[in-house]
Amino acid sequence: MKIVILGYGFIGDIHLNAYRQMNDVEVAGIYSTTRTGDLQGIPFYNDLERCLEIADVVDVCLPTFMHRDVFEKAVERGKHVFLEKPMAHTDEDCQRMLELEEQSSSKVMVGQVLRYFPEYRKLKESIDPDKPASTLLSRRSQLPVSAKNWSLDRRNSGGVILDLSLHDIDFARWAFGPVTRVYAQTDPDHYYALITLRHENGSISRIEGSWRYDGGFAQEADIAQENDLLTFNSQEIHPLMVHRKVSLKKDSTEVPPVLLRDDPWYLELRDFVDSIRNDGPVPVTLQDAYESTKIALLALQSAHEKRPISLAKELNKR
């Protein structure tokens, strides 16, 4: 199975390292507008069309605003596509991509990688999806540095909500089910955001996203459900704690991080490759990813219009 990686920035390098751990795939090329020559025998291509010609599978690690165009080219040529999140930066692009997928026989998976982080899987396994919960999710980092700093241009990246907080929006929807209402606030630069989601099952998810944090990358989760409290802090020595029946003064259970750490990017890409080989369903479909992306786009609209948005009312207008 020949794979080409489109884009060789931070995430492209992570994907390359994951594929190198697999003995049943070959990275046949890397598309880059700035690199030439080869990388340890893997050729760089500056011509997208030539790069697509040699591929069975296309792994899209390009800037978000380029996703629709390369996705269209790939599926029209019958290539299977792994697409880094977010799937696209506008609802129009998302809708077109869904149409293209429906018309093709390509397998398409979106990299909502938080679903593969063992700590977040453990959190999901520890809750009852039918019971309401109160959740606080936080994700903080420095301003991202990328080619031409495209991610700082909100028109191309969607700012901190679409680029960073989408991880937590997707986790909240995955863990607690469909969202009925969204409200968001941001600073003027869209480097910091607070988002509140209401779910069909009565759960409330509060999400903080920040590109104004200089303390290293940090992700946190607090989930309260009935008498249980689950906490995760990536910067703690023992990051995941499950407090059972806290009102009865039971001790908490700590899960050592060494037992939880697998490479989530390898796991998701391995699943995608296996889905192709076995002609099985992909774990994160384009439609599934769109449901989360749509919430992030409505959060951007909420922040702009300074009002909460009911998903049913908003989508009925369209």
Side-chain angles (χ1 to χ4, degrees), residues 174-208:
W174 183 50
F176 303 110
V179 172
T180 60
R181 189 177 176 90
V182 58
Y183 179 62
Q185 296 172 299
T186 68
D187 66 0
D189 296 319
H190 281 251
Y191 293 171
Y192 184 88
L194 294 172
I195 307 164
T196 301
L197 307 179
R198 183 182 295 276
H199 299 262
E200 279 185 4
N201 73 347
S203 294
I204 301 292
S205 298
R206 300 169 182 84
I207 296 170
E208 177 194 44

PDB file of all heavy atoms in Angstrom, residues 174-208:
ATOM      1  N   TRP A 174     -18.615  13.204  21.389  1.00  0.00           N
ATOM      2  CA  TRP A 174     -18.352  11.761  21.398  1.00  0.00           C
ATOM      3  C   TRP A 174     -18.761  11.141  22.741  1.00  0.00           C
ATOM      4  O   TRP A 174     -19.358  10.062  22.783  1.00  0.00           O
ATOM      5  CB  TRP A 174     -16.863  11.550  21.124  1.00  0.00           C
ATOM      6  CG  TRP A 174     -16.380  10.141  21.016  1.00  0.00           C
ATOM      7  CD1 TRP A 174     -16.897   9.131  20.251  1.00  0.00           C
ATOM      8  CD2 TRP A 174     -15.231   9.593  21.686  1.00  0.00           C
ATOM      9  NE1 TRP A 174     -16.144   7.989  20.400  1.00  0.00           N
ATOM     10  CE2 TRP A 174     -15.111   8.242  21.271  1.00  0.00           C
ATOM     11  CE3 TRP A 174     -14.288  10.110  22.568  1.00  0.00           C
ATOM     12  CZ2 TRP A 174     -14.087   7.399  21.721  1.00  0.00           C
ATOM     13  CZ3 TRP A 174     -13.273   9.290  23.010  1.00  0.00           C
ATOM     14  CH2 TRP A 174     -13.178   7.949  22.592  1.00  0.00           C
ATOM     15  N   ALA A 175     -18.466  11.841  23.817  1.00  0.00           N
ATOM     16  CA  ALA A 175     -18.717  11.288  25.149  1.00  0.00           C
ATOM     17  C   ALA A 175     -20.156  11.478  25.613  1.00  0.00           C
ATOM     18  O   ALA A 175     -20.731  10.576  26.251  1.00  0.00           O
ATOM     19  CB  ALA A 175     -17.760  11.918  26.162  1.00  0.00           C
ATOM     20  N   PHE A 176     -20.765  12.633  25.319  1.00  0.00           N
ATOM     21  CA  PHE A 176     -22.065  12.975  25.899  1.00  0.00           C
ATOM     22  C   PHE A 176     -23.189  13.083  24.877  1.00  0.00           C
ATOM     23  O   PHE A 176     -24.323  13.355  25.231  1.00  0.00           O
ATOM     24  CB  PHE A 176     -21.953  14.280  26.690  1.00  0.00           C
ATOM     25  CG  PHE A 176     -20.915  14.228  27.774  1.00  0.00           C
ATOM     26  CD1 PHE A 176     -19.740  14.961  27.665  1.00  0.00           C
ATOM     27  CD2 PHE A 176     -21.087  13.416  28.883  1.00  0.00           C
ATOM     28  CE1 PHE A 176     -18.766  14.897  28.637  1.00  0.00           C
ATOM     29  CE2 PHE A 176     -20.110  13.340  29.869  1.00  0.00           C
ATOM     30  CZ  PHE A 176     -18.951  14.087  29.747  1.00  0.00           C
ATOM     31  N   GLY A 177     -22.860  12.902  23.598  1.00  0.00           N
ATOM     32  CA  GLY A 177     -23.907  12.858  22.599  1.00  0.00           C
ATOM     33  C   GLY A 177     -24.186  14.194  21.941  1.00  0.00           C
ATOM     34  O   GLY A 177     -23.468  15.183  22.139  1.00  0.00           O
ATOM     35  N   PRO A 178     -25.238  14.232  21.125  1.00  0.00           N
ATOM     36  CA  PRO A 178     -25.544  15.409  20.303  1.00  0.00           C
ATOM     37  C   PRO A 178     -25.673  16.700  21.115  1.00  0.00           C
ATOM     38  O   PRO A 178     -26.124  16.691  22.266  1.00  0.00           O
ATOM     39  CB  PRO A 178     -26.876  15.036  19.651  1.00  0.00           C
ATOM     40  CG  PRO A 178     -26.900  13.546  19.650  1.00  0.00           C
ATOM     41  CD  PRO A 178     -26.190  13.129  20.897  1.00  0.00           C
ATOM     42  N   VAL A 179     -25.277  17.797  20.470  1.00  0.00           N
ATOM     43  CA  VAL A 179     -25.328  19.126  21.081  1.00  0.00           C
ATOM     44  C   VAL A 179     -26.564  19.855  20.553  1.00  0.00           C
ATOM     45  O   VAL A 179     -26.864  19.801  19.356  1.00  0.00           O
ATOM     46  CB  VAL A 179     -24.049  19.920  20.746  1.00  0.00           C
ATOM     47  CG1 VAL A 179     -24.160  21.373  21.191  1.00  0.00           C
ATOM     48  CG2 VAL A 179     -22.837  19.242  21.391  1.00  0.00           C
ATOM     49  N   THR A 180     -27.280  20.528  21.447  1.00  0.00           N
ATOM     50  CA  THR A 180     -28.479  21.263  21.042  1.00  0.00           C
ATOM     51  C   THR A 180     -28.288  22.776  21.051  1.00  0.00           C
ATOM     52  O   THR A 180     -29.043  23.499  20.398  1.00  0.00           O
ATOM     53  CB  THR A 180     -29.654  20.922  21.977  1.00  0.00           C
ATOM     54  OG1 THR A 180     -29.313  21.287  23.329  1.00  0.00           O
ATOM     55  CG2 THR A 180     -29.969  19.434  21.920  1.00  0.00           C
ATOM     56  N   ARG A 181     -27.270  23.258  21.786  1.00  0.00           N
ATOM     57  CA  ARG A 181     -27.119  24.704  21.953  1.00  0.00           C
ATOM     58  C   ARG A 181     -25.651  25.026  22.186  1.00  0.00           C
ATOM     59  O   ARG A 181     -24.940  24.282  22.873  1.00  0.00           O
ATOM     60  CB  ARG A 181     -27.967  25.169  23.142  1.00  0.00           C
ATOM     61  CG  ARG A 181     -28.103  26.686  23.325  1.00  0.00           C
ATOM     62  CD  ARG A 181     -29.047  26.914  24.507  1.00  0.00           C
ATOM     63  NE  ARG A 181     -29.206  28.317  24.854  1.00  0.00           N
ATOM     64  CZ  ARG A 181     -30.133  29.118  24.348  1.00  0.00           C
ATOM     65  NH1 ARG A 181     -30.996  28.631  23.456  1.00  0.00           N
ATOM     66  NH2 ARG A 181     -30.231  30.372  24.721  1.00  0.00           N
ATOM     67  N   VAL A 182     -25.196  26.133  21.605  1.00  0.00           N
ATOM     68  CA  VAL A 182     -23.803  26.534  21.758  1.00  0.00           C
ATOM     69  C   VAL A 182     -23.726  28.035  22.006  1.00  0.00           C
ATOM     70  O   VAL A 182     -24.478  28.819  21.422  1.00  0.00           O
ATOM     71  CB  VAL A 182     -22.968  26.128  20.521  1.00  0.00           C
ATOM     72  CG1 VAL A 182     -23.539  26.742  19.246  1.00  0.00           C
ATOM     73  CG2 VAL A 182     -21.508  26.532  20.673  1.00  0.00           C
ATOM     74  N   TYR A 183     -22.820  28.403  22.897  1.00  0.00           N
ATOM     75  CA  TYR A 183     -22.546  29.823  23.143  1.00  0.00           C
ATOM     76  C   TYR A 183     -21.044  29.984  23.310  1.00  0.00           C
ATOM     77  O   TYR A 183     -20.388  29.198  24.004  1.00  0.00           O
ATOM     78  CB  TYR A 183     -23.260  30.307  24.406  1.00  0.00           C
ATOM     79  CG  TYR A 183     -22.991  31.765  24.721  1.00  0.00           C
ATOM     80  CD1 TYR A 183     -23.378  32.774  23.843  1.00  0.00           C
ATOM     81  CD2 TYR A 183     -22.348  32.134  25.901  1.00  0.00           C
ATOM     82  CE1 TYR A 183     -23.127  34.107  24.123  1.00  0.00           C
ATOM     83  CE2 TYR A 183     -22.102  33.471  26.190  1.00  0.00           C
ATOM     84  CZ  TYR A 183     -22.490  34.449  25.300  1.00  0.00           C
ATOM     85  OH  TYR A 183     -22.242  35.776  25.575  1.00  0.00           O
ATOM     86  N   ALA A 184     -20.476  30.989  22.659  1.00  0.00           N
ATOM     87  CA  ALA A 184     -19.026  31.172  22.699  1.00  0.00           C
ATOM     88  C   ALA A 184     -18.660  32.643  22.821  1.00  0.00           C
ATOM     89  O   ALA A 184     -19.375  33.530  22.339  1.00  0.00           O
ATOM     90  CB  ALA A 184     -18.385  30.580  21.444  1.00  0.00           C
ATOM     91  N   GLN A 185     -17.528  32.882  23.458  1.00  0.00           N
ATOM     92  CA  GLN A 185     -16.930  34.216  23.565  1.00  0.00           C
ATOM     93  C   GLN A 185     -15.448  34.092  23.240  1.00  0.00           C
ATOM     94  O   GLN A 185     -14.800  33.100  23.599  1.00  0.00           O
ATOM     95  CB  GLN A 185     -17.100  34.781  24.978  1.00  0.00           C
ATOM     96  CG  GLN A 185     -18.547  35.016  25.397  1.00  0.00           C
ATOM     97  CD  GLN A 185     -18.654  35.386  26.854  1.00  0.00           C
ATOM     98  OE1 GLN A 185     -18.280  34.624  27.734  1.00  0.00           O
ATOM     99  NE2 GLN A 185     -19.165  36.592  27.121  1.00  0.00           N
ATOM    100  N   THR A 186     -14.903  35.122  22.584  1.00  0.00           N
ATOM    101  CA  THR A 186     -13.481  35.121  22.250  1.00  0.00           C
ATOM    102  C   THR A 186     -12.889  36.497  22.510  1.00  0.00           C
ATOM    103  O   THR A 186     -13.619  37.485  22.640  1.00  0.00           O
ATOM    104  CB  THR A 186     -13.237  34.769  20.769  1.00  0.00           C
ATOM    105  OG1 THR A 186     -13.739  35.837  19.951  1.00  0.00           O
ATOM    106  CG2 THR A 186     -13.913  33.460  20.372  1.00  0.00           C
ATOM    107  N   ASP A 187     -11.552  36.542  22.571  1.00  0.00           N
ATOM    108  CA  ASP A 187     -10.891  37.840  22.565  1.00  0.00           C
ATOM    109  C   ASP A 187     -10.861  38.360  21.123  1.00  0.00           C
ATOM    110  O   ASP A 187     -11.214  37.639  20.180  1.00  0.00           O
ATOM    111  CB  ASP A 187      -9.496  37.738  23.189  1.00  0.00           C
ATOM    112  CG  ASP A 187      -8.537  36.887  22.366  1.00  0.00           C
ATOM    113  OD1 ASP A 187      -8.953  36.362  21.308  1.00  0.00           O
ATOM    114  OD2 ASP A 187      -7.374  36.733  22.777  1.00  0.00           O
ATOM    115  N   PRO A 188     -10.476  39.606  20.905  1.00  0.00           N
ATOM    116  CA  PRO A 188     -10.536  40.177  19.547  1.00  0.00           C
ATOM    117  C   PRO A 188      -9.712  39.426  18.502  1.00  0.00           C
ATOM    118  O   PRO A 188     -10.071  39.392  17.324  1.00  0.00           O
ATOM    119  CB  PRO A 188     -10.012  41.605  19.739  1.00  0.00           C
ATOM    120  CG  PRO A 188     -10.306  41.930  21.168  1.00  0.00           C
ATOM    121  CD  PRO A 188     -10.116  40.632  21.911  1.00  0.00           C
ATOM    122  N   ASP A 189      -8.598  38.816  18.932  1.00  0.00           N
ATOM    123  CA  ASP A 189      -7.723  38.114  17.987  1.00  0.00           C
ATOM    124  C   ASP A 189      -8.121  36.659  17.763  1.00  0.00           C
ATOM    125  O   ASP A 189      -7.519  35.977  16.937  1.00  0.00           O
ATOM    126  CB  ASP A 189      -6.271  38.153  18.477  1.00  0.00           C
ATOM    127  CG  ASP A 189      -5.708  39.558  18.521  1.00  0.00           C
ATOM    128  OD1 ASP A 189      -5.982  40.320  17.571  1.00  0.00           O
ATOM    129  OD2 ASP A 189      -5.010  39.898  19.497  1.00  0.00           O
ATOM    130  N   HIS A 190      -9.088  36.187  18.524  1.00  0.00           N
ATOM    131  CA  HIS A 190      -9.475  34.763  18.492  1.00  0.00           C
ATOM    132  C   HIS A 190      -8.300  33.868  18.878  1.00  0.00           C
ATOM    133  O   HIS A 190      -8.129  32.778  18.337  1.00  0.00           O
ATOM    134  CB  HIS A 190     -10.025  34.377  17.116  1.00  0.00           C
ATOM    135  CG  HIS A 190     -11.446  34.812  16.911  1.00  0.00           C
ATOM    136  ND1 HIS A 190     -12.503  33.937  16.879  1.00  0.00           N
ATOM    137  CD2 HIS A 190     -12.000  36.033  16.760  1.00  0.00           C
ATOM    138  CE1 HIS A 190     -13.637  34.586  16.704  1.00  0.00           C
ATOM    139  NE2 HIS A 190     -13.350  35.881  16.634  1.00  0.00           N
ATOM    140  N   TYR A 191      -7.551  34.347  19.867  1.00  0.00           N
ATOM    141  CA  TYR A 191      -6.483  33.546  20.454  1.00  0.00           C
ATOM    142  C   TYR A 191      -6.947  32.881  21.752  1.00  0.00           C
ATOM    143  O   TYR A 191      -6.244  32.013  22.281  1.00  0.00           O
ATOM    144  CB  TYR A 191      -5.257  34.410  20.777  1.00  0.00           C
ATOM    145  CG  TYR A 191      -4.532  34.984  19.582  1.00  0.00           C
ATOM    146  CD1 TYR A 191      -3.522  35.918  19.765  1.00  0.00           C
ATOM    147  CD2 TYR A 191      -4.830  34.586  18.276  1.00  0.00           C
ATOM    148  CE1 TYR A 191      -2.828  36.458  18.676  1.00  0.00           C
ATOM    149  CE2 TYR A 191      -4.152  35.125  17.188  1.00  0.00           C
ATOM    150  CZ  TYR A 191      -3.156  36.061  17.393  1.00  0.00           C
ATOM    151  OH  TYR A 191      -2.472  36.602  16.324  1.00  0.00           O
ATOM    152  N   TYR A 192      -8.087  33.314  22.258  1.00  0.00           N
ATOM    153  CA  TYR A 192      -8.639  32.750  23.500  1.00  0.00           C
ATOM    154  C   TYR A 192     -10.154  32.629  23.346  1.00  0.00           C
ATOM    155  O   TYR A 192     -10.804  33.539  22.800  1.00  0.00           O
ATOM    156  CB  TYR A 192      -8.318  33.657  24.704  1.00  0.00           C
ATOM    157  CG  TYR A 192      -8.784  33.081  26.025  1.00  0.00           C
ATOM    158  CD1 TYR A 192      -7.971  32.231  26.757  1.00  0.00           C
ATOM    159  CD2 TYR A 192     -10.058  33.369  26.530  1.00  0.00           C
ATOM    160  CE1 TYR A 192      -8.399  31.685  27.957  1.00  0.00           C
ATOM    161  CE2 TYR A 192     -10.490  32.830  27.727  1.00  0.00           C
ATOM    162  CZ  TYR A 192      -9.656  31.987  28.435  1.00  0.00           C
ATOM    163  OH  TYR A 192     -10.072  31.440  29.620  1.00  0.00           O
ATOM    164  N   ALA A 193     -10.712  31.511  23.816  1.00  0.00           N
ATOM    165  CA  ALA A 193     -12.154  31.299  23.661  1.00  0.00           C
ATOM    166  C   ALA A 193     -12.714  30.523  24.837  1.00  0.00           C
ATOM    167  O   ALA A 193     -12.041  29.654  25.412  1.00  0.00           O
ATOM    168  CB  ALA A 193     -12.446  30.561  22.365  1.00  0.00           C
ATOM    169  N   LEU A 194     -13.958  30.846  25.180  1.00  0.00           N
ATOM    170  CA  LEU A 194     -14.756  30.080  26.132  1.00  0.00           C
ATOM    171  C   LEU A 194     -16.027  29.643  25.417  1.00  0.00           C
ATOM    172  O   LEU A 194     -16.706  30.462  24.797  1.00  0.00           O
ATOM    173  CB  LEU A 194     -15.101  30.920  27.362  1.00  0.00           C
ATOM    174  CG  LEU A 194     -13.929  31.346  28.254  1.00  0.00           C
ATOM    175  CD1 LEU A 194     -14.418  32.330  29.319  1.00  0.00           C
ATOM    176  CD2 LEU A 194     -13.285  30.130  28.911  1.00  0.00           C
ATOM    177  N   ILE A 195     -16.344  28.362  25.517  1.00  0.00           N
ATOM    178  CA  ILE A 195     -17.481  27.795  24.802  1.00  0.00           C
ATOM    179  C   ILE A 195     -18.330  26.994  25.788  1.00  0.00           C
ATOM    180  O   ILE A 195     -17.789  26.256  26.613  1.00  0.00           O
ATOM    181  CB  ILE A 195     -17.012  26.857  23.664  1.00  0.00           C
ATOM    182  CG1 ILE A 195     -16.020  27.573  22.745  1.00  0.00           C
ATOM    183  CG2 ILE A 195     -18.197  26.320  22.871  1.00  0.00           C
ATOM    184  CD1 ILE A 195     -15.240  26.620  21.850  1.00  0.00           C
ATOM    185  N   THR A 196     -19.641  27.145  25.688  1.00  0.00           N
ATOM    186  CA  THR A 196     -20.559  26.333  26.484  1.00  0.00           C
ATOM    187  C   THR A 196     -21.461  25.550  25.535  1.00  0.00           C
ATOM    188  O   THR A 196     -22.073  26.125  24.637  1.00  0.00           O
ATOM    189  CB  THR A 196     -21.428  27.199  27.413  1.00  0.00           C
ATOM    190  OG1 THR A 196     -20.577  27.949  28.290  1.00  0.00           O
ATOM    191  CG2 THR A 196     -22.354  26.330  28.255  1.00  0.00           C
ATOM    192  N   LEU A 197     -21.516  24.231  25.764  1.00  0.00           N
ATOM    193  CA  LEU A 197     -22.363  23.353  24.967  1.00  0.00           C
ATOM    194  C   LEU A 197     -23.430  22.730  25.863  1.00  0.00           C
ATOM    195  O   LEU A 197     -23.137  22.297  26.966  1.00  0.00           O
ATOM    196  CB  LEU A 197     -21.539  22.223  24.331  1.00  0.00           C
ATOM    197  CG  LEU A 197     -20.305  22.595  23.508  1.00  0.00           C
ATOM    198  CD1 LEU A 197     -19.617  21.332  22.998  1.00  0.00           C
ATOM    199  CD2 LEU A 197     -20.681  23.505  22.348  1.00  0.00           C
ATOM    200  N   ARG A 198     -24.656  22.678  25.360  1.00  0.00           N
ATOM    201  CA  ARG A 198     -25.716  21.918  26.016  1.00  0.00           C
ATOM    202  C   ARG A 198     -26.019  20.685  25.158  1.00  0.00           C
ATOM    203  O   ARG A 198     -26.212  20.798  23.947  1.00  0.00           O
ATOM    204  CB  ARG A 198     -26.974  22.768  26.184  1.00  0.00           C
ATOM    205  CG  ARG A 198     -28.098  22.054  26.926  1.00  0.00           C
ATOM    206  CD  ARG A 198     -29.339  22.924  27.017  1.00  0.00           C
ATOM    207  NE  ARG A 198     -29.094  24.116  27.815  1.00  0.00           N
ATOM    208  CZ  ARG A 198     -29.175  24.151  29.137  1.00  0.00           C
ATOM    209  NH1 ARG A 198     -29.482  23.061  29.806  1.00  0.00           N
ATOM    210  NH2 ARG A 198     -28.946  25.277  29.788  1.00  0.00           N
ATOM    211  N   HIS A 199     -26.085  19.522  25.805  1.00  0.00           N
ATOM    212  CA  HIS A 199     -26.296  18.272  25.099  1.00  0.00           C
ATOM    213  C   HIS A 199     -27.738  17.785  25.259  1.00  0.00           C
ATOM    214  O   HIS A 199     -28.435  18.157  26.212  1.00  0.00           O
ATOM    215  CB  HIS A 199     -25.349  17.192  25.632  1.00  0.00           C
ATOM    216  CG  HIS A 199     -23.895  17.518  25.466  1.00  0.00           C
ATOM    217  ND1 HIS A 199     -23.132  17.042  24.430  1.00  0.00           N
ATOM    218  CD2 HIS A 199     -23.061  18.282  26.226  1.00  0.00           C
ATOM    219  CE1 HIS A 199     -21.892  17.483  24.549  1.00  0.00           C
ATOM    220  NE2 HIS A 199     -21.824  18.244  25.632  1.00  0.00           N
ATOM    221  N   GLU A 200     -28.159  16.926  24.342  1.00  0.00           N
ATOM    222  CA  GLU A 200     -29.513  16.377  24.393  1.00  0.00           C
ATOM    223  C   GLU A 200     -29.791  15.638  25.699  1.00  0.00           C
ATOM    224  O   GLU A 200     -30.927  15.619  26.190  1.00  0.00           O
ATOM    225  CB  GLU A 200     -29.742  15.410  23.218  1.00  0.00           C
ATOM    226  CG  GLU A 200     -30.085  16.086  21.908  1.00  0.00           C
ATOM    227  CD  GLU A 200     -30.419  15.084  20.823  1.00  0.00           C
ATOM    228  OE1 GLU A 200     -30.459  13.856  21.130  1.00  0.00           O
ATOM    229  OE2 GLU A 200     -30.644  15.502  19.673  1.00  0.00           O
ATOM    230  N   ASN A 201     -28.768  14.996  26.279  1.00  0.00           N
ATOM    231  CA  ASN A 201     -28.981  14.213  27.493  1.00  0.00           C
ATOM    232  C   ASN A 201     -28.946  15.060  28.763  1.00  0.00           C
ATOM    233  O   ASN A 201     -28.962  14.527  29.875  1.00  0.00           O
ATOM    234  CB  ASN A 201     -27.960  13.075  27.587  1.00  0.00           C
ATOM    235  CG  ASN A 201     -26.554  13.554  27.946  1.00  0.00           C
ATOM    236  OD1 ASN A 201     -26.263  14.749  27.899  1.00  0.00           O
ATOM    237  ND2 ASN A 201     -25.691  12.628  28.305  1.00  0.00           N
ATOM    238  N   GLY A 202     -28.892  16.392  28.606  1.00  0.00           N
ATOM    239  CA  GLY A 202     -28.888  17.288  29.757  1.00  0.00           C
ATOM    240  C   GLY A 202     -27.509  17.694  30.236  1.00  0.00           C
ATOM    241  O   GLY A 202     -27.387  18.519  31.142  1.00  0.00           O
ATOM    242  N   SER A 203     -26.463  17.132  29.650  1.00  0.00           N
ATOM    243  CA  SER A 203     -25.097  17.479  30.051  1.00  0.00           C
ATOM    244  C   SER A 203     -24.738  18.892  29.602  1.00  0.00           C
ATOM    245  O   SER A 203     -25.251  19.404  28.603  1.00  0.00           O
ATOM    246  CB  SER A 203     -24.089  16.491  29.446  1.00  0.00           C
ATOM    247  OG  SER A 203     -24.265  15.198  29.970  1.00  0.00           O
ATOM    248  N   ILE A 204     -23.836  19.501  30.371  1.00  0.00           N
ATOM    249  CA  ILE A 204     -23.270  20.805  30.031  1.00  0.00           C
ATOM    250  C   ILE A 204     -21.760  20.653  29.919  1.00  0.00           C
ATOM    251  O   ILE A 204     -21.117  20.133  30.837  1.00  0.00           O
ATOM    252  CB  ILE A 204     -23.602  21.875  31.087  1.00  0.00           C
ATOM    253  CG1 ILE A 204     -25.102  22.041  31.249  1.00  0.00           C
ATOM    254  CG2 ILE A 204     -22.943  23.202  30.721  1.00  0.00           C
ATOM    255  CD1 ILE A 204     -25.796  22.646  30.058  1.00  0.00           C
ATOM    256  N   SER A 205     -21.195  21.079  28.789  1.00  0.00           N
ATOM    257  CA  SER A 205     -19.745  21.044  28.602  1.00  0.00           C
ATOM    258  C   SER A 205     -19.236  22.470  28.461  1.00  0.00           C
ATOM    259  O   SER A 205     -19.727  23.230  27.629  1.00  0.00           O
ATOM    260  CB  SER A 205     -19.374  20.239  27.346  1.00  0.00           C
ATOM    261  OG  SER A 205     -19.785  18.901  27.452  1.00  0.00           O
ATOM    262  N   ARG A 206     -18.248  22.809  29.271  1.00  0.00           N
ATOM    263  CA  ARG A 206     -17.615  24.125  29.205  1.00  0.00           C
ATOM    264  C   ARG A 206     -16.186  23.931  28.707  1.00  0.00           C
ATOM    265  O   ARG A 206     -15.447  23.111  29.258  1.00  0.00           O
ATOM    266  CB  ARG A 206     -17.637  24.806  30.573  1.00  0.00           C
ATOM    267  CG  ARG A 206     -19.054  25.015  31.101  1.00  0.00           C
ATOM    268  CD  ARG A 206     -19.068  25.432  32.563  1.00  0.00           C
ATOM    269  NE  ARG A 206     -20.424  25.584  33.068  1.00  0.00           N
ATOM    270  CZ  ARG A 206     -21.174  24.580  33.522  1.00  0.00           C
ATOM    271  NH1 ARG A 206     -20.665  23.345  33.538  1.00  0.00           N
ATOM    272  NH2 ARG A 206     -22.392  24.789  33.958  1.00  0.00           N
ATOM    273  N   ILE A 207     -15.820  24.673  27.676  1.00  0.00           N
ATOM    274  CA  ILE A 207     -14.546  24.442  26.989  1.00  0.00           C
ATOM    275  C   ILE A 207     -13.741  25.738  26.966  1.00  0.00           C
ATOM    276  O   ILE A 207     -14.251  26.799  26.597  1.00  0.00           O
ATOM    277  CB  ILE A 207     -14.802  23.942  25.556  1.00  0.00           C
ATOM    278  CG1 ILE A 207     -15.511  22.583  25.601  1.00  0.00           C
ATOM    279  CG2 ILE A 207     -13.500  23.850  24.765  1.00  0.00           C
ATOM    280  CD1 ILE A 207     -16.020  22.102  24.258  1.00  0.00           C
ATOM    281  N   GLU A 208     -12.487  25.631  27.369  1.00  0.00           N
ATOM    282  CA  GLU A 208     -11.549  26.751  27.292  1.00  0.00           C
ATOM    283  C   GLU A 208     -10.462  26.413  26.281  1.00  0.00           C
ATOM    284  O   GLU A 208      -9.869  25.326  26.327  1.00  0.00           O
ATOM    285  CB  GLU A 208     -10.897  27.012  28.647  1.00  0.00           C
ATOM    286  CG  GLU A 208      -9.845  28.124  28.611  1.00  0.00           C
ATOM    287  CD  GLU A 208      -8.969  28.167  29.848  1.00  0.00           C
ATOM    288  OE1 GLU A 208      -8.520  27.083  30.297  1.00  0.00           O
ATOM    289  OE2 GLU A 208      -8.723  29.269  30.358  1.00  0.00           O
TER     290      GLU A 208
END
